[in-house]
Amino acid sequence: MKPMTKADVQTYLVKKGIFTPGAHFYTVDILEETDTAEGYVNHIFQVKDLVTQKSVVVKQVMPYMLAMVKATGEEHPFSMDRMRTEIRTLAFLNKLCEGIVPDIYLADYAAGIFVMEDLSHLDLMRFQITAGVEYPDFGKRMGAFLAGLCFYTSPDYLSPSAQTKMEAYFQSEESNRLNAFLTTDCPLINLAKPMEPENAPLRERIANNPDILKMIAHLSERFEHSHQCLSHNDLHTSNIMLNASELKILDTEFSGFSAGFMDMGRLTSSFILNHVSWLGTPEIPMATRTRMQSYDLGVIADLHHAFNRMFQKLWQKHGLDGDCAATVDAILRDALNYATVSATIRITSDFAQSCEIKRIKKREDLAHIQRRVLEVAEYTLLHQDQFHEIEDYCDFLRCCCDITVQ
């Protein structure tokens, strides 16, 4: 499949009736000409008619991960069927919570193209929190939303036949591939993943700890085989756009039925990573760094409390039997374990770094950040039973990563 040029995109949109033949186009290749995307997989274009001000985003799905091609020159095959997964999941999420995802105007499966709402009035959350911007209600809103998604697609709520139909409808081979990348091939286990050399002894110790290997194997097995609910599976702050009043979830192409902890864990990892990253930015004023570290911990606490409250509320509303508290506790405990494993994916000394890690200027500071994230993961996986409340975990992060005590 040949990547589209800007001229190709404009011609395509006129042919499909999205724009009129006389449109005065202004087209931007978002991945090549802007710095508003991270960890990209597909080609993305923003197209605007300068006369009518109408604008859309065009996404061309490719049979490989574009970021990997640019970083290594190698094409790692991806199923084109993930476009179907993305469209179906976006439609379902919009029914569950109207407006939580962008509108889709056209889906052309044969061409691997879909046309969607232009979200350029919103900002990518990872970039914003890296720049020191706070969104006070984010944790509460997302925790409640994820509880609803988990509950309404779970065997606790669905009949066996309904769940079987939903699992088949959202079946995705790419979600299982993502599982290997995020668990059994993560830097905690795969010592070939590059990190700064002084962290080698710590990495060896973690990779050879049987209890840690057992926990990661448990998370991987739960991801692939539990089919507890429909999950986004790649829900981090680079797949969320927002402003003070609006929030959109993006890039659902890896969605599928998996473990209930997946989305809570993946999202929590973004705030663990942001929290630790401020240790490596001494050039930023101390007041900003401490404020954002406090914000990150507040979001983590809000996420978990809101999830717990909403899940139990829905359980009671629908009169379900069984131990709701135990169900939620198991989800949230595994979410913390998975969060620390997931955070290690973005700290390696290569193209996989997230923007809060890329901004670290000194190699020694990068090594320090890597060590802290690895230590957080090690301790969490070995001593999870010590965290009785989410505040206990936030206190742990504060103790080992707070700038003022380093």
Side-chain angles (χ1 to χ4, degrees):
M1 178 179 291
K2 183 179 178 182
M4 299 179 77
T5 65
K6 290 192 285 188
D8 293 335
V9 172
Q10 293 167 185
T11 300
Y12 178 86
L13 292 174
V14 171
K15 180 180 179 181
K16 292 295 182 179
I18 304 295
F19 288 97
T20 62
H24 288 69
F25 285 116
Y26 176 73
T27 302
V28 177
D29 184 332
I30 291 178
L31 305 181
E32 296 292 341
E33 301 176 33
T34 76
D35 57 359
T36 59
E38 187 189 57
Y40 48 88
V41 176
N42 308 292
H43 291 282
I44 305 174
F45 300 86
Q46 180 193 31
V47 185
K48 185 175 185 178
D49 183 339
L50 295 176
V51 175
T52 66
Q53 298 300 302
K54 177 180 179 178
S55 62
V56 299
V57 164
V58 177
K59 186 171 182 177
Q60 182 185 20
V61 178
M62 304 301 293
Y64 50 79
M65 183 176 180
L66 188 58
M68 189 74 75
V69 173
K70 287 184 173 293
T72 68
E74 300 177 1
E75 291 188 7
H76 291 255
F78 270 32
S79 170
M80 290 295 292
D81 201 40
R82 70 186 193 275
M83 177 179 170
R84 172 192 58 81
T85 299
E86 179 159 13
I87 298 296
R88 288 182 175 183
T89 305
L90 289 172
F92 180 82
L93 295 184
N94 195 54
K95 289 182 179 179
L96 183 67
C97 181
E98 186 175 0
I100 198 73
V101 296
D103 291 333
I104 303 298
Y105 305 135
L106 180 149
D108 184 346
Y109 292 99
I113 295 169
F114 61 95
V115 183
M116 59 192 287
E117 179 183 0
D118 180 9
L119 301 179
S120 58
H121 63 291
L122 304 178
D123 297 302
L124 198 72
M125 188 175 197
R126 191 184 295 275
F127 290 163
Q128 293 299 100
I129 62 174
T130 298
V133 179
E134 300 180 35
Y135 297 91
D137 295 326
F138 174 80
K140 295 175 183 177
R141 181 174 180 184
M142 282 302 299
F145 168 75
L146 292 177
L149 175 60
C150 183
F151 179 84
Y152 283 117
T153 60
S154 73
D156 298 307
Y157 175 77
L158 295 173
S159 67
S161 61
Q163 187 179 31
T164 298
K165 289 178 181 178
M166 281 199 72
E167 285 186 33
Y169 186 70
F170 290 105
Q171 192 279 331
S172 169
E173 64 179 85
E174 293 300 342
S175 65
N176 289 336
R177 288 185 58 183
L178 187 67
N179 174 27
F181 174 72
L182 295 175
T183 55
T184 55
D185 193 42
C186 76
L188 290 174
I189 296 177
N190 185 352
L191 298 181
K193 301 282 187 179
M195 288 195 188
E196 299 309 301
E198 53 263 57
N199 291 320
L202 172 60
R203 297 186 70 194
E204 289 277 358
R205 184 178 78 203
I206 292 172
N208 289 296
N209 188 303
D211 293 328
I212 290 178
L213 295 177
K214 181 179 178 180
M215 177 57 72
I216 293 176
H218 161 76
L219 295 173
S220 178
E221 192 278 334
R222 292 283 295 161
F223 183 139
E224 189 163 349
H225 300 295
S226 68
H227 293 188
Q228 191 172 10
C229 64
L230 178 65
S231 299
H232 182 292
N233 288 331
D234 199 26
L235 186 61
H236 47 74
T237 49
S238 292
N239 281 334
I240 296 170
M241 297 189 73
L242 75 174
N243 59 23
S245 60
E246 190 176 358
L247 184 155
K248 301 281 187 180
I249 295 172
L250 311 175
D251 295 344
T252 57
E253 60 194 310
F254 297 108
S255 299
F257 267 74
S258 59
F261 64 78
M262 273 298 303
D263 288 345
M264 281 292 291
R266 194 89 165 101
L267 187 55
T268 298
S269 76
S270 289
F271 293 93
I272 293 174
L273 192 60
N274 192 264
H275 180 78
V276 180
S277 75
W278 295 101
L279 291 172
T281 57
E283 70 280 1
I284 296 176
M286 177 68 77
T288 298
R289 297 160 70 200
T290 55
R291 173 177 59 81
M292 287 306 298
Q293 281 202 318
S294 178
Y295 170 73
D296 291 328
L297 297 183
V299 171
I300 292 171
D302 284 347
L303 274 170
H304 285 246
H305 284 307
F307 185 99
N308 186 15
R309 286 194 300 267
M310 180 57 72
F311 200 94
Q312 295 208 41
K313 179 180 179 180
L314 294 173
W315 191 286
Q316 294 169 4
K317 176 182 177 180
H318 294 280
L320 301 187
D321 297 325
D323 192 341
C324 177
T327 299
V328 175
D329 183 67
I331 291 172
L332 295 182
R333 283 186 176 276
D334 275 343
L336 285 183
N337 287 325
Y338 182 68
T340 60
V341 174
S342 179
T344 67
I345 302 295
R346 306 307 299 271
I347 62 170
T348 50
S349 302
D350 60 9
F351 72 94
Q353 287 182 1
S354 58
C355 65
E356 57 263 76
I357 304 302
K358 289 179 180 177
R359 68 177 168 169
I360 296 171
K361 297 179 179 179
K362 295 182 179 180
R363 192 203 65 80
E364 295 80 5
D365 288 334
L366 172 60
H368 180 55
I369 296 304
Q370 290 174 342
R371 183 168 64 254
R372 277 288 182 264
V373 173
L374 291 169
E375 289 170 343
V376 165
E378 179 185 39
Y379 192 89
T380 302
L381 294 171
L382 292 176
H383 304 286
Q384 230 275 355
D385 58 346
Q386 295 185 9
F387 308 124
H388 303 291
E389 304 288 343
I390 190 60
E391 282 75 18
D392 296 335
Y393 191 71
C394 289
D395 287 343
F396 158 66
L397 290 176
R398 186 179 294 109
C399 180
C400 64
C401 302
D402 195 306
I403 296 168
T404 61
V405 298
Q406 299 301 307

